[in-house]
Amino acid sequence: MAKNERFQVILSEGNGLTKPQCVVLMDTATGVQYLLVCSGNGAGLCPLVDREGGPVIWDV
């Protein structure tokens, strides 16, 4: 991983055109995971949360 790459792709499915693209990203500075969904011209990003509503953190 390069020095300037803060986010790392954990999982990627779909292509964004015929099927929505779902990507799980991890913030390498905090370990927090995010879900990015892209479909056509639209996209959405949100943090993944556990049952208590806290962020899902990658345990390194």
Side-chain angles (χ1 to χ4, degrees):
M1 182 169 62
K3 254 185 175 181
N4 298 336
E5 292 182 15
R6 180 162 178 178
F7 294 94
Q8 181 179 359
V9 175
I10 303 298
L11 174 74
S12 180
E13 296 179 352
N15 60 18
L17 297 174
T18 59
K19 220 180 200 187
Q21 182 178 20
C22 298
V23 180
V24 176
L25 302 167
M26 179 190 65
D27 183 341
T28 58
T30 63
V32 175
Q33 295 180 31
Y34 297 88
L35 175 65
L36 171 65
V37 178
C38 303
S39 183
N41 292 333
L45 177 72
C46 66
L48 294 176
V49 295
D50 59 17
R51 287 183 178 179
E52 288 78 35
V56 174
I57 298 176
W58 185 277
D59 205 11
V60 180

